[in-house]
């Protein structure tokens, strides 16, 4: 009976993770299908390994966790938050099949995963902080000038500006920028020449 309770808790947990947290926030149907498929697949295989009685169920379960992770991460490019949801779905699947002293411990760990994902992926938490790759239509090699230009263009406080490519032939600079927005207003693009004229 306890096995069915744990199974029901796991199905409920992955449903909350995918339909309650991930899809409303990110709207990627393909990954929604992948999360459900991987979770239920891991749950089924881990449960089958647990009932073999060979004593290798736990080790094989974690080996499966690693193999599926490598295959999934190498098959397509994922953002970091999508990787987090992917591993959460895998962890829920394993927790739904592993034997522990009490099923309530597994259920509590499922709840912990959901609570952490609900908090850290909330747009209200650190919502001002952004990451962008910016292409400038001029060559800017002076760091202070580059940061000043980016802060004006992005209307924010630049915390990191890492030049990725400087093209002297086409007069362009590609910069990886991490910044915090200082306001929510939209800012029209300004060329470096126009910015220099304003200074």
């Amino acid at each position: 009976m306890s096995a069915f309770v744990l199974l029901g808790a796991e199905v409920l947990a992955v449903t909350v993770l995918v339909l309650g947290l991930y899809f409303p926030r990110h709207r990627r149907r393909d990954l929604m299908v992948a999360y459900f498929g991987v979770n239920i697949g891991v749950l089924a295989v881990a449960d089958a390994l647990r009932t073999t009685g060979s004593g290798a169920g736990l080790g094989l379960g974690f080996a499966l966790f690693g193999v599926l992770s490598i295959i999934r991460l190498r098959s397509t490019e994922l953002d970091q938050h999508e990787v987090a949801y992917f591993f959460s779905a895998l962890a829920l699947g394993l927790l739904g099949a592993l034997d522990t002293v009490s099923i309530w411990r597994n259920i509590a760990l499922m709840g912990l995963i959901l609570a952490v994902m609900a908090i850290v992926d909330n747009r209200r938490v650190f919502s001002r902080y952004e990451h962008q790759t910016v292409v400038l239509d001029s060559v800017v090699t002076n760091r202070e000038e580059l940061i000043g230009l980016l802060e004006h263009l992005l209307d924010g406080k630049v915390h990191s500006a890492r030049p990725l490519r400087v093209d002297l032939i086409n007069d362009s600079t590609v910069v990886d920028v991490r910044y915090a927005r200082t306001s929510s207003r939209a800012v029209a693009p300004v060329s470096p020449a126009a910015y220099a004229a304003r200074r």
Side-chain angles (χ1 to χ4, degrees), residues 24-177:
R25 294 174 177 180
H26 304 289
R27 301 292 178 178
R28 281 196 62 176
R29 180 181 177 275
D30 57 334
L31 284 181
M32 180 185 72
V33 175
Y35 292 148
F36 272 120
V38 167
N39 173 269
I40 299 303
V42 168
L43 175 67
V45 174
D47 186 71
L49 291 174
R50 177 180 62 84
T51 57
T52 58
S54 62
L58 180 61
L60 290 176
F62 281 106
L64 176 66
F65 188 105
V67 170
L68 288 176
S69 301
I70 293 172
I71 293 173
R72 185 68 185 102
L73 295 178
R74 289 177 62 88
S75 63
T76 185
E77 183 178 350
L78 297 176
D79 291 333
Q80 294 304 311
H81 68 273
E82 293 168 342
V83 173
Y85 277 101
F86 182 70
F87 278 104
S88 296
L90 286 172
L92 290 176
L94 285 175
L95 286 172
L98 292 178
D99 278 327
T100 57
V101 176
S102 170
I103 65 168
W104 301 112
R105 179 182 177 85
N106 289 36
I107 294 174
L109 290 173
M110 292 178 190
L112 176 62
I113 292 174
L114 294 178
V116 169
M117 294 303 296
I119 294 172
V120 300
D121 192 40
N122 193 322
R123 293 180 181 177
R124 296 179 181 178
V125 179
F126 304 118
S127 61
R128 293 174 51 245
Y129 294 91
E130 301 282 351
H131 174 220
Q132 290 191 31
T133 300
V134 178
V135 181
L136 303 174
D137 61 353
S138 68
V139 174
V140 184
T141 56
N142 182 277
R143 180 170 179 78
E144 288 72 21
E145 181 182 352
L146 177 63
I147 291 177
L149 175 59
L150 290 169
E151 288 184 343
H152 180 79
L153 291 173
L154 300 172
D155 189 31
K157 172 66 176 177
V158 172
H159 295 287
S160 172
R162 183 168 60 94
L164 300 178
R165 186 175 70 252
V166 176
D167 192 336
L168 299 176
I169 297 176
N170 298 316
D171 288 332
S172 65
T173 305
V174 181
V175 190
D176 180 84
V177 186

